[in-house]
């Protein structure tokens, strides 16, 4: 950012410069599932909702994990949702999380 003063009368022209760092805005993510219990091989739909803590609309990708293993990814749609359909969950208790990957404006 630069400010400039143009010479007038006896005053000399001058300018000054300041650095400004703009960081991406924070986002929030929530995750819902179409079922809390299912049978092996049945379809489950996971929906991640990404919201902004400021103005603007997050874009980009959400990664879905079962524990530490990635089970899929989906792009955010116009309503800021990323939707994953899967039938490949193993038997037992699965811990599903969604991680928003950010974009140039949001983290």
């Amino acid at each position: 950012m630069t400010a400039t003063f143009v010479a007038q009368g006896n005053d000399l022209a001058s300018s000054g410069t300041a650095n400004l760092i703009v960081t991406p805005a924070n986002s929030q993510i929530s995750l819902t599932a179409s079922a809390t219990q299912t049978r092996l091989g049945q379809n489950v739909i996971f929906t991640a909702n990404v919201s902004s803590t400021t103005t603007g609309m997050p874009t980009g990708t959400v990664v879905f994990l079962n524990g530490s293993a990635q089970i899929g990814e989906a792009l955010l749609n116009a309503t800021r949702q990323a939707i994953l359909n899967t039938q490949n969950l193993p038997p037992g208790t699965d811990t599903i999380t969604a991680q928003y990957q950010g974009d140039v404006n949001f983290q």
Side-chain angles (χ1 to χ4, degrees):
M1 167 173 18
T2 301
T4 303
F5 174 73
V6 179
Q8 294 179 348
N10 292 330
D11 295 327
L12 299 175
S14 64
S15 65
T17 302
N19 293 325
L20 175 65
I21 298 172
V22 178
T23 59
N26 290 325
S27 61
Q28 297 174 331
I29 189 168
S30 63
L31 178 64
T32 58
S34 60
T36 57
Q37 188 172 354
T38 187
R39 295 197 183 277
L40 182 65
Q42 284 186 321
N43 192 55
V44 179
I45 302 168
F46 294 103
T47 303
N49 293 288
V50 178
S51 60
S52 162
T53 57
T54 63
T55 60
M57 187 166 152
T59 61
T61 304
V62 173
V63 171
F64 294 86
L65 304 165
N66 184 2
S68 61
Q70 183 174 330
I71 59 171
E73 62 181 52
L75 290 173
L76 288 172
N77 62 24
T79 59
R80 297 184 297 236
Q81 293 183 326
I83 300 170
L84 177 71
N85 291 292
T86 185
Q87 299 170 339
N88 299 322
L89 296 174
T93 301
D94 296 298
T95 303
I96 309 300
T97 56
Q99 295 178 344
Y100 174 53
Q101 301 302 293
D103 62 19
V104 296
N105 297 314
F106 294 95
Q107 57 184 0

